[in-house]
Amino acid sequence: MIATFAALAEPSRFRIVELLRSGPRLVTDIGERLHLRQPQVSKHLRVLKEAGLVDVEPDAQRRLYELRAEPLRALHDWLERYRDLWDARFAELDELLEELKTKERKDGRRKRR
Amino acid sequence: MIATFAALAEPSRFRIVELLRSGPRLVTDIGERLHLRQPQVSKHLRVLKEAGLVDVEPDAQRRLYELRAEPLRALHDWLERYRDLWDARFAELDELLEELKTKERKDGRRKRR
DNA sequence: CGAGAATATTCCTGTCAAGGCATATTCTTG
DNA sequence: CAAGAATATGCCTTGACAGGAATATTCTCG
């Protein structure tokens, strides 16, 4: 989980993942589409692979990189545990707290002395 | 999105979020439960707040920190776009590639919700 | 075999973030 | 107002990491 977050926290890597959503790509291909230099693409792909986010399928001297479902599904599952947060039951509480906060912000500076 | 990933990529921060899932907590409380020193907790909470993952409700000299739903829901929504990856349509392709790489034959579980 | 394509690795450098510790800040209360 | 509680900030040091450029590696093919 942490590894997944760390991998996706890097903007270029995030974009690579987004690109791979449309299907497997070659390193060079990725570089061209995202305007990244080849070595950096390779490095990012390495990180993504070590995080299990990507798989490689060699084809001669080329490598086809493709997204792996598992980590993303795991993330999705993890988030399910937080669903209560935005589901019905807590909605009111959220609003309440929002109100309290915006109200106190106004004159919390000078109460009384 | 990137900000959310970056915030959650830090182990202590991840643990804080997990803890806050059970409800709002005071800074000191968090520190004790997670064995973190107060200044680090405050710093982490600051990052979490800047990422929008957390809200503060002041109470005298204490601060109640609580989880915010929005970023997590956004993450969840983002992942929905990747659902095809592990849903029916691509299952076969996944299996194919899995076979090429490992020879596991004991994988027979399925997740339904 | 040698050239060239596609990708990976290495080395270097600058930046940024995290922990530790001391200190500042903000409130409450006697 | 002083003392103390709860939290935030500042400074410092160290380690991780990203980009750049050069180079190594692995294949294919004429």
Side-chain angles (χ1 to χ4, degrees):
Chain A
M1 195 95 323
I2 297 284
T4 304
F5 286 133
L8 293 173
E10 213 287 327
S12 297
R13 237 131 53 196
F14 182 81
R15 292 169 64 212
I16 291 179
V17 167
E18 289 265 79
L19 174 59
L20 290 184
R21 196 168 70 92
S22 61
R25 305 269 175 187
L26 296 176
V27 176
T28 304
D29 190 5
I30 297 174
E32 282 172 3
R33 297 195 184 237
L34 302 187
H35 302 290
L36 297 172
R37 304 170 200 278
Q38 179 267 315
Q40 327 300 333
V41 176
S42 287
K43 289 177 192 171
H44 284 313
L45 286 170
R46 170 136 91 124
V47 176
L48 288 174
K49 191 182 164 203
E50 280 166 355
L53 275 162
V54 152
D55 254 349
V56 209
E57 197 199 348
D59 166 32
Q61 73 254 248
R62 327 188 162 176
R63 315 275 150 133
L64 248 200
Y65 280 88
E66 65 150 359
L67 260 190
R68 282 193 62 228
E70 212 219 56
L72 297 173
R73 172 170 29 186
L75 230 188
H76 191 271
D77 288 352
W78 177 74
L79 283 162
E80 282 296 334
R81 296 173 32 211
Y82 288 77
R83 177 176 279 284
D84 316 1
L85 270 189
W86 62 82
D87 261 10
R89 193 157 56 119
F90 288 90
E92 335 138 28
L93 180 58
D94 270 345
E95 280 175 39
L96 243 167
L97 290 164
E98 283 301 323
E99 274 186 46
L100 279 181
K101 183 176 24 178
T102 42
K103 187 183 296 179
E104 307 219 347
R105 176 155 320 205
K106 267 322 200 232
D107 68 340
R109 202 70 183 151
R110 227 164 165 249
K111 211 156 148 203
R112 55 178 274 196
R113 55 207 299 285
Chain B
M1 195 93 326
I2 297 285
T4 305
F5 287 133
L8 295 173
E10 214 286 328
S12 296
R13 238 131 53 198
F14 182 82
R15 291 169 65 212
I16 291 179
V17 167
E18 290 264 81
L19 174 59
L20 289 184
R21 194 167 72 91
S22 60
R25 305 268 176 187
L26 297 175
V27 176
T28 303
D29 191 6
I30 297 174
E32 282 172 4
R33 297 193 185 239
L34 304 187
H35 302 291
L36 299 173
R37 305 172 199 276
Q38 179 267 317
Q40 327 300 332
V41 176
S42 286
K43 288 175 190 174
H44 283 313
L45 285 170
R46 170 135 92 124
V47 175
L48 288 174
K49 190 181 165 203
E50 279 166 356
L53 275 162
V54 148
D55 253 349
V56 209
E57 197 200 348
D59 166 32
Q61 71 257 244
R62 327 189 163 177
R63 314 278 149 129
L64 249 199
Y65 281 88
E66 66 151 359
L67 259 191
R68 281 193 63 228
E70 210 218 58
L72 296 172
R73 172 169 30 188
L75 230 188
H76 191 271
D77 288 352
W78 177 74
L79 283 163
E80 282 296 335
R81 296 173 33 212
Y82 287 77
R83 178 175 278 283
D84 315 2
L85 270 189
W86 63 80
D87 261 9
R89 193 155 57 119
F90 288 89
E92 336 141 26
L93 180 58
D94 269 344
E95 279 177 37
L96 243 166
L97 290 162
E98 282 303 321
E99 274 187 45
L100 281 182
K101 206 153 317 128
T102 58
K103 309 172 186 174
E104 283 229 342
R105 202 59 197 90
K106 50 188 307 191
D107 179 53
R109 62 193 160 102
R110 167 145 355 170
K111 192 104 179 267
R112 215 43 274 138
R113 75 173 212 83

